[in-house]
Every structure is written in structure tokens, then in C-alpha cells.
Amino acid sequence: MPRFHHVAKNQKSILSQDGPLPMSFPLRQGLREGNPVERGATYDGSGVNFAVFSANATAVDICLFDTDGKTETDRIRLPEYTDQVFHGWIPDLHPGQLYGLRVHGPYEPDAGHRFNPNKLLLDPYARGHFGSLQWNPALFGYQLGHPDLDLSFDDQDSAPFIPKCIISAPSRRRNKPLKTRWSDSIIYETHVKGFTQTNPLVPKRLRGTYAGLCHRSVLDYLKSLGITSIELLPIQSFVNDQYLIEKGLTNYWGYNTIGFFSPDTRYAANHADPATEFRHMVAGCHAAGLEVIMDVVYNHTAEGNELGPTLSFKGLDNASYYRLVPDNLRYYINDTGTGNTFNLSNLRAIQFVADSLRYWAEDMGVDGFRFDLGTILAREKEGFDPEAGFLRVCRQDPILAHLKLIAEPWDIGPGGYQVGKFPPSWAEWNDKFRDTAKDFWRNEARASALATRLLGSPDLFNHSGRQAWSSVNFIAAHDGFTLKDCVSYETKHNQANGENGEDGSNDNRSCNYGAEGPTNDDAINALRWRQCRNMLATLLLSQGTPMLLAGDEFGRTQNGNNNAYCQDNAISWLNWTIEKEGKNLQSFTQRIISLRKRFPILRRSRFLTEAYNKDLDVKELTWVSASGQEMRQEEWDHAQCFGLMLDGRAQPSGIMQRGADATLLLILNSWNDVVEFTLPEAEGSAWKMLLDTNRPDDEAEIERNIFQQKTLFTVTGHSLLVFELLGT
């Protein structure tokens, strides 16, 4: 039998690991029923309203703690239950008060219920957490080592080992999203800590923090680079996995969320108020014209499977919040690979996620979200559905519908790969762009495969009124090789992760060009840096929304580690001591971005077509062979060097932008050898060179090169060039 016992309303039982310690408290004077509408703890100036959803619980207690979070000072039973929400208003509580929840109900794992009031629970709507989780057997709802495993019941009090929730005051300052146009957006994926941890221009006390990320030197750098949007790896409060701690590692990436309204204190210079610091960071980014996009993890939580701890949702209403195996409710559907899957077929779970997103948008001013394992958001009982409840909620929501919503369109569940299948208003990570671009430049993909990716992947996204920006193009992301490692290593080198090299993908589409890792061979190094320039240029000159991994602009390396999720150290942190070639690549990246901004034809919202416009007497795009003529169908089968001519005169009516009517020629050569390429004839006087990845010279020197039409131009092996057609 459980050792927790019910007590009268004017008494309570404080539990310890040695057993229940009865203590008597007077009935809380002024306790009222409150309201069920505003979830969580809401301060109104004279007290706090609590509202907690649970469809299957029998009672909910609010447990108050002293300022150090160690002693439970009061326990109050919420007096009312309306529409599956327990609620009550408690007087004389103020911001800063620490609290947790104890929830009563059946402990019947075979029926999907895992209520255990001996386990202090985090309020899912808490705006902040105090303290950190300490792994201890008391965190588990069952007795570790018991022969019946999770069918057993544990009566140890978990309060000493779990963070406490903090009652917060309504924010006085709210940021508004910038709403940068999708077609103008260039995303920069980074990590709050890793980006500034070794940056000498950031004061030491601010390095690795929200405050450090909005330091003037950081914002100036990002603006000078030309990016518009910063995409942050998870910053919502997350749990450090026990197995990583035991190995002396940590969950660096943070894909193990438990506090979906709470910014993690690990990244706060001011641990007492991380929410305000995060809000100031967003405001600072906005003042610099930079959007903030959050990587969010609503597909699973940190509670794992049936053998995982009871921290929040599992003890609040396991059967409502998680997807359970239909014919065996003891077990969890694991479409995430983490042990559990959040149940976004449940209306209350959808409401929770939508409330969380609106909080970050309205209160914090966040400009958008990248959804980890986004396919799960749209998986109903019958499988993936682009009209799934959660997606429909986002499309009609007056706040969320106007934000940048980006899906990672895959998971490990049935039918998990859904690139291009999300509905209008959503963008998606396009791994086909990544794989094809890598393969083309290492001579493993033909020009015909890359051609579609250069145009925003219309084969995937051109439906239902979706536009080219729906394709979020990338070469590298946090998961996988960095750009420099992609041209330096044939295989992953993940020994530091302590998993015998079995973790991380084996499909890296990489090439070391003759030596594994660093080398003193000048020819190999020259080719590697040129290939970095080729892939960056391919990324930033393609239609769609480009995403750049932080540090790729100067050749950051993780020494071949392609799964550095557990490396909170120099492997993952950006090294701001940049070598000469890295600085050259940095300048080159700035030049490419400036070209993208200079010529609207490189960033159209609508998909480009090969159709002939008889009114303007132009074709919007023309594929060109090395002969200078339009590419013939049979040439696509073997072409590795080809050109793409874009005629900006074929603009939709009403568009008046500088450089909008320019005609550009891109030439891409993935052959090892030079190709004699005839510059095509077009309506203009000559071709001016804008970019040559074989000549990373300064912009002024490059643009002095003028070539007549029909000139036989020698294109270096493994190189990309851009020309602009001069007017007559």
C-alpha cells in the first residue's frame, strides 16, 4: 500500500525519504474557487489563481516552499473542478513564491494511469524554475529494482530532488515580432552558450548567456554578416540525462524539455530572473533588426517511457498527455526515439502547446519557431495528416499564423518522412537540398538533380499556393558534420561521446579529398576551402530560405564529431581565434549574402519557371550548356558543368526594387577538370563577373572583369561563378 495518505483539509502530511512526517496546518483563510480559464499560477495583485488540467485525477494539491526550496511550508487542496480543470484562488501569495503540485488519482499502469502524490510535480505552465533536478530513486513513481518494475509503487517523497516552480508577475514589457518577409530572410542556427562562450569581445560574466548573445559586439558581427534571423537551439528548461551525467557528459543541445514556459537558467547571467534577461535579449536583437527563432521540442518530454521518472505530465495525467499503445496502455508509443510521444491528438495537449507558443510570441516577442521532429505534430491515429488538429490551430490562430513556423518534417514513426507535405504558411527543413548539394560537389549527383534544388525544390513545395521560401535550404546544421568537416572527413569521429562510435549518422555525404582530418598538404587544403565556398554559394544563391550553421562562415570544425549533442566544451563552442583562410571565407560569405540582397531575382517568393513571356519577350530562367546554348534534354544525363541564366525583367507587375531587372548567369562546375564555357548571347552588351569561388579576391577586383558575349571562358574544376549582364 502507498505510504501517502489523505488528511483532513485543515491538516497535511509532509513526506520524507524516511516516511511521512505528519504536521498540522490551519485551513488557508480566504481560499476561493477561482477560475479554470487561465492555466498555471496567475498573480492578480492580492493572490494567485491556480488552474491545473487533468481528466483522470481525483484531487490536486498546491505545495508551497520556503525561499531555499527545501522545506514544504503549506499544502492546499484546490477546491473546485470545472471542465476537467482543478482550480482555486489562494490569497496573500506573491511573485517569487516557490511551489509544486501533488496530484491524486489511480496508480494503474495497465490502464495508463500513473498518479502518485508522493511525487512533487512541475506545473507545465510555470514561467520559471528554481533549482536543478538531482537524479535520485525518489523521482520514479515505481520502486527501482522491484521485480514488477513500473507496476510497483514508490512512496518516497521526490520534493528534495526536483526543481520548484516560481510564481511570476505579469511582464510589463512586451516585445513585438519583427515580421521580416520570408523572401528576405537568412537564418543563422546557433546555440546560446556555444556562440559566445569563448568570444573575447564579450565580457566574461556574460559569455554563454542570453545577455551575452545580445552584446553589442555580437549583434554588430551578425549584422555585418548579413543574416536576418537567429535560430536558437532549445532554451526552454530541460533535463540533463542521468546516463550522460554518469559519463561526465551533458545534454548540450537541450532536446529534453520539461519546462515549456520557462527559459533555462543555465543560460542566464542573472539566475534569479532568466525570463527578463531573455526578454531583453530579444529586444536587443530586434533593435539590431534581427529576428529570434526558437527551436522547440513539443514532440516528447524528459519523462521517458514507463521506466522513466515522474516529473510533471506523467503524474498529472499520463493517459491524456502521452500517446500510449492502444491495446496495452502500460507502454508508450515511441515515434521520437526518446521513450515517449506527446499526444497532439488530445485537445488539451494541443491547447497547452498553443498556449506555450503564444506566450513566447506575445510575452517574449519571439519571431518564430522551428519544430523538432515536426511530423509528430501532424500525426493522427491514422498517420500523418496535413489537416491535423494542431496544424489547423496554428493556421487560424491570430498570433501564430503570422509567425515563422518551420517544421523538421521527419521522425522515426510510421510514415515519418514528410518533406514537402506540410500545409501552406509552413516552411520545412529540406534535407534533399543538403544531400543533393553535397553530392553534386563531390561528383556523386548530376546537374539535373541539383537544378531542381536551385529553384526552391518545386517538385516538393509547389502546391497548394505554397511559395519558394517554404524550402529551408541548408548544407549543415547542429546535427551532422559542420561545413568544414564535410570536406575534411570521410567518416565520423565520435569517440568523445562514449558510445563506441555507434552514435551519429553514417550517411554524411562527405569527402576528405585525400587525407582524413587536418593536413599540411597545400593542394588538399586549397581544394577544401574552395569546396566550402562552392557549397556556401550554392546555398545562398538558391531560391528558398537559406539557413547557415553558426561558424560555417569561417570554417568551424568539430574535429569530425557529427553528433556533438553531449559536448559542452571546445568541441561544440565556436572558436573565435580564426585562421587566415577562415577570415577569407568569412569575407566571401558576406559577399555572397550581399549579392543575394542586391538582386531580387535570387530570392523570389513565387517559383521561377521556364515559360516564355511573349509580352516581355523574355524567359525567366534558361538552363545553359557549356556551348552557350540552351541545355538540350539529352545533355542533362551527363552534365556536371552547366549554367543557369535568370532574367529579372520577368518580374511580376508592381515590383519596383533596385536590381530587380538584372540578368544573372550562374555557372557551376563539379568536374575535377577545367571546362571551356561559352558565355551565352543575351540582350545586353557584356558579362561582368561578380563571383568566382576559385578566386576569393575582394569584390572590387572581381567586378573589374568584363567579358564579351560568346567569349570562351575557362571555368576551373570545382568552382562556381556569377556574372551580371550589362545593359546596352
Side-chain angles (χ1 to χ4, degrees), residues 324-571:
L324 306 178
V325 176
D327 57 353
N328 195 343
L329 299 178
R330 176 184 176 185
Y331 299 104
Y332 296 75
I333 291 174
N334 185 19
D335 291 339
T336 64
T338 64
N340 66 58
T341 304
F342 209 65
N343 185 15
L344 280 168
S345 293
N346 182 285
L347 177 61
R348 293 299 193 182
I350 292 176
Q351 182 184 34
F352 166 74
V353 174
D355 287 347
S356 173
L357 294 172
R358 278 192 296 269
Y359 168 73
W360 291 100
E362 290 190 286
D363 244 55
M364 300 295 195
V366 166
D367 301 272
F369 304 94
R370 179 266 187 188
F371 294 87
D372 179 62
L373 301 183
T375 302
I376 285 171
L377 308 178
R379 181 176 281 115
E380 300 289 0
K381 293 180 180 179
E382 299 77 19
F384 178 85
D385 183 357
E387 292 297 321
F390 175 73
L391 300 187
R392 297 178 71 173
V393 164
C394 291
R395 290 178 67 186
Q396 62 79 43
D397 189 277
I399 302 299
L400 304 181
H402 299 286
L403 301 178
K404 284 185 167 67
L405 303 178
I406 306 169
E408 181 186 38
W410 51 76
D411 63 26
I412 66 169
Y417 188 78
Q418 295 293 336
V419 174
K421 303 294 179 59
F422 276 71
S425 77
W426 280 77
E428 304 172 39
W429 274 25
N430 185 357
D431 64 328
K432 290 187 182 296
F433 179 95
R434 174 198 64 194
D435 294 348
T436 306
K438 285 183 176 182
D439 284 348
F440 176 80
W441 287 111
R442 66 190 184 107
N443 267 322
E444 293 293 335
R446 297 298 183 193
S448 55
L450 183 63
T452 303
R453 305 296 157 237
L454 295 176
L455 300 182
S457 298
D459 58 323
L460 301 173
F461 297 99
N462 191 7
H463 63 83
S464 308
R466 302 186 76 181
Q467 295 190 311
W469 54 256
S470 303
S471 175
V472 176
N473 303 326
F474 64 103
I475 299 292
H478 65 276
D479 187 3
F481 276 153
T482 66
L483 175 66
K484 185 65 187 307
D485 285 356
C486 185
V487 299
S488 303
Y489 295 91
E490 294 275 2
T491 59
K492 63 188 180 184
H493 295 264
N494 296 356
Q495 293 84 352
N497 296 354
E499 299 181 40
N500 298 317
E502 296 179 1
D503 65 300
S505 174
N506 293 316
D507 184 20
N508 295 295
R509 315 287 177 110
S510 61
C511 183
N512 65 22
Y513 299 100
E516 187 72 354
T519 178
N520 293 322
D521 188 305
D522 291 340
I524 292 176
N525 285 326
L527 179 55
R528 286 177 175 178
W529 286 110
R530 188 160 76 251
Q531 290 289 60
C532 285
R533 293 191 290 272
N534 288 331
M535 286 189 276
L536 284 175
T538 304
L539 171 67
L540 292 162
L541 299 176
S542 293
Q543 304 295 315
T545 303
M547 185 186 78
L548 181 66
L549 176 64
D552 275 357
E553 71 273 18
F554 55 75
R556 180 175 77 95
T557 179
Q558 291 183 164
N559 303 317
N561 192 321
N562 74 348
N563 189 35
Y565 76 102
C566 55
Q567 301 296 333
D568 186 4
N569 51 46
I571 292 175

Side-chain angles (χ1 to χ4, degrees), residues 228-241:
T228 68
S229 310
I230 310 168
E231 183 175 304
L232 302 177
L233 266 67
I235 58 85
Q236 294 168 320
S237 293
F238 62 92
V239 170
N240 208 353
D241 310 70

